[in-house]
Amino acid sequence: RCEPCTEGCLTPCAMHFRDMPGAAQKRTWSGSWFCIAWLFLGPQAWWPPEIQAVYDWRMERRAAFEINVLSNRHGLNQFDSLVGVVPWLIACQKGDEIRDLNGLDMDWNAAETWAEFLRATAYREGLGDVLAEGGWAAARTTQVGLDTARTMYAGWGHTGHWDGHTGIGPEFPYWLTSAMQWMSDTRDPFNSGHGSLWAGIKILWRVGNLESDAVRQAELDRIRTIGEHLYGTADAVDPLSGYRGKAPMGHFHTLRPVIKDCVPVDDMRFPRIYDENAPDRYWRLEVDGIGEIEGPSVEYHLIRAGTGVDWSETDFDRAAERVCALERALQVRHWGRDRQTDEMLLPYFERPEALQSPFLENRHGLDREQFKPVLDEFYALHGRDEKGGPTKESLADLGMADVYAPMPQGAARAEEGRGESMTAD
């Protein structure tokens, strides 16, 4: 049966199975199967051959479901296993750099191999002791397959996720917004950052498949109007816009995850932006006693109704700005976070993307010269200086003037203590 992953989720994307026969163990299993866990089956047939070669396994349905349940019971990160560790092990296996898993031949089409991989990792046995730290740490510790690992780990020790470079979209130019999200965070930003994907998904997956050029252009015009209304520029969502208009979109979608986490609301459904049933495709709701609510304002009205807080919507948005600014100030104060740190992720995005946009003639990688003014504008919208830290003026404007003074002092201490230990790895 279909079910949501949590009580508060509006998206029943999980499949719950009961009494499914296993393959590695002669018993039945019950549990939920959703999100990246479907990759236990193997790559999608429509993925490019070079991407299928990275996720080089095929398991039948019962075996794949069993491994999904075992992974959950061991408490392991499925994104790291499926997008990082196992593809890295396969590459090392093909390169004759890692030959076995604690003496077991690594046949990734066999449920028994996966079951032993999960068990050894969870209990830190043999090679599993290294793998338990995650794939990026394992590559650095063993000094094996480092170049391969760099193509799988976008940053901060986390595997690529909705960044256009791991077989999962969005395609160019929409992953430029994803890049800004990754560069601003301290981990995978797509725990609550999926809202930025609406344009790429709707345009590339829906509009790109429409039957005629006239119909496609009419739909694109509707979406461009949404981009102009929401981000101040139609270029933000135009598939032919390249680097233009991406900074406002990046700024918007590094604030919305803060709102989603604080309210909280479902990451996959908020903010409400696109409505394919509306004539102009923009999401609106008529509410008794309030009138018409635009989609991105729903969270504001929810928190007012749920808490009684007498904020204006401007106050609500500024609260999110304060959270974002304070997080950044703490990173600067305690760890010397700066633009140089953020730009350590650029080599990952400079590689050609995994999939090609149906609106473009080739695959793209990030161009630093064209991306630099985008990042300049992105920092300015967040009230950050050229080094990437919140300015004294922006913090004062947010009512946090006292946060500034200890920030540069702490950054200097962090930099002194860090010394030469900070590298791109």
Side-chain angles (χ1 to χ4, degrees):
R1 69 173 185 269
C2 293
E3 66 178 15
C5 56
T6 67
E7 295 263 338
C9 179
L10 302 176
T11 314
C13 60
M15 296 291 289
H16 185 86
F17 292 84
R18 173 168 265 176
D19 298 330
M20 176 82 88
Q25 299 182 29
K26 302 305 179 185
R27 53 159 293 178
T28 60
W29 301 94
S30 298
S32 294
W33 200 359
F34 65 105
C35 195
I36 195 65
W38 291 99
L39 188 52
F40 282 118
L41 289 164
Q44 298 290 322
W46 54 268
W47 289 4
E50 64 270 27
I51 300 300
Q52 294 196 45
V54 172
Y55 308 105
D56 191 12
W57 65 83
R58 288 287 190 281
M59 277 196 290
E60 57 91 15
R61 191 178 183 88
R62 291 179 177 179
F65 176 73
E66 177 183 34
I67 299 307
N68 160 64
V69 174
L70 287 173
S71 175
N72 289 333
R73 293 193 177 196
H74 284 307
L76 296 177
N77 181 335
Q78 292 186 349
F79 250 101
D80 196 41
S81 296
L82 286 163
V83 184
V85 179
V86 171
W88 171 74
L89 283 171
I90 289 173
C92 293
Q93 183 181 5
K94 291 177 178 178
D96 202 30
E97 296 171 296
I98 297 178
R99 297 183 176 86
D100 60 77
L101 177 63
N102 297 344
L104 176 69
D105 287 340
M106 294 190 292
D107 177 6
W108 296 103
N109 295 317
E112 291 79 7
T113 299
W114 284 89
E116 175 57 22
F117 156 69
L118 296 172
R119 190 199 64 80
T121 301
Y123 289 95
R124 307 189 73 113
E125 293 183 0
L127 182 60
D129 187 46
V130 176
L131 302 180
E133 296 296 325
W136 180 236
R140 294 180 64 194
T141 299
T142 62
Q143 288 296 295
V144 169
L146 269 171
D147 288 340
T148 298
R150 288 190 180 98
T151 69
M152 298 170 177
Y153 287 84
W156 326 127
H158 289 257
T159 53
H161 187 181
W162 286 108
D163 55 58
H165 290 72
T166 55
I168 304 175
E171 290 87 324
F172 184 83
Y174 303 105
W175 53 254
L176 293 172
T177 297
S178 302
M180 284 178 274
Q181 291 179 267
W182 271 97
M183 294 172 71
S184 290
D185 218 310
T186 59
R187 61 197 70 212
D188 180 350
F190 286 96
N191 291 313
S192 52
H194 285 85
S196 66
L197 304 173
W198 77 271
I201 290 174
K202 299 303 179 185
I203 292 175
L204 299 176
W205 293 4
R206 183 178 185 277
V207 181
N209 293 318
L210 292 175
E211 63 274 15
S212 72
D213 184 64
V215 174
R216 282 194 295 273
Q217 289 304 316
E219 189 67 13
L220 280 175
D221 285 342
R222 296 185 187 99
I223 291 176
R224 290 186 183 108
T225 299
I226 296 175
E228 189 170 354
H229 178 71
L230 197 61
Y231 309 116
T233 172
D235 284 338
V237 297
D238 192 319
L240 304 176
S241 62
Y243 291 79
R244 300 191 308 272
K246 298 305 176 294
M249 192 175 185
H251 174 251
F252 183 92
H253 289 291
T254 46
L255 291 175
R256 298 307 297 203
V258 171
I259 291 173
K260 283 191 278 191
D261 287 341
C262 290
V263 171
V265 291
D266 177 19
D267 175 40
M268 297 300 294
R269 293 298 185 190
F270 289 85
R272 308 300 287 160
I273 295 173
Y274 180 87
D275 181 0
E276 63 182 28
N277 296 314
D280 62 355
R281 303 297 187 260
Y282 190 53
W283 203 97
R284 297 178 179 86
L285 180 68
E286 192 71 30
V287 180
D288 290 343
I290 297 178
E292 184 180 86
I293 295 176
E294 293 190 3
S297 299
V298 171
E299 294 97 315
Y300 162 67
H301 289 282
L302 283 174
I303 204 166
R304 280 203 66 179
T307 67
V309 172
D310 189 22
W311 281 351
S312 68
E313 192 163 359
T314 299
D315 294 332
F316 178 74
D317 291 339
R318 282 174 63 81
E321 291 180 45
R322 284 197 296 273
V323 172
C324 198
L326 183 58
E327 286 181 345
R328 186 73 175 192
L330 289 171
Q331 293 164 21
V332 174
R333 175 179 175 179
H334 294 292
W335 294 282
R337 179 76 178 259
D338 57 16
R339 181 165 178 159
Q340 182 181 2
T341 309
D342 297 347
E343 291 183 347
M344 286 162 48
L345 276 66
L346 291 183
Y348 175 85
F349 289 96
E350 287 176 319
R351 295 183 299 108
E353 59 190 331
L355 303 174
Q356 181 180 321
S357 166
F359 292 90
L360 302 173
E361 295 181 354
N362 49 46
R363 300 183 192 181
H364 287 256
L366 185 139
D367 182 299
R368 290 200 187 209
E369 185 175 347
Q370 294 188 72
F371 188 61
K372 181 182 181 301
V374 177
L375 201 54
D376 290 341
E377 183 182 358
F378 174 75
Y379 284 140
L381 289 169
H382 272 295
R384 298 172 188 169
D385 59 26
E386 66 279 1
K387 293 184 178 180
T391 66
K392 185 175 183 179
E393 294 75 18
S394 67
L395 288 171
D397 183 57
L398 291 170
M400 300 191 297
D402 58 320
V403 171
Y404 183 81
M407 188 181 67
Q409 300 169 9
R413 288 193 297 271
E415 183 66 29
E416 182 180 346
R418 185 169 57 188
E420 297 300 320
S421 65
M422 187 69 169
T423 69
D425 286 344

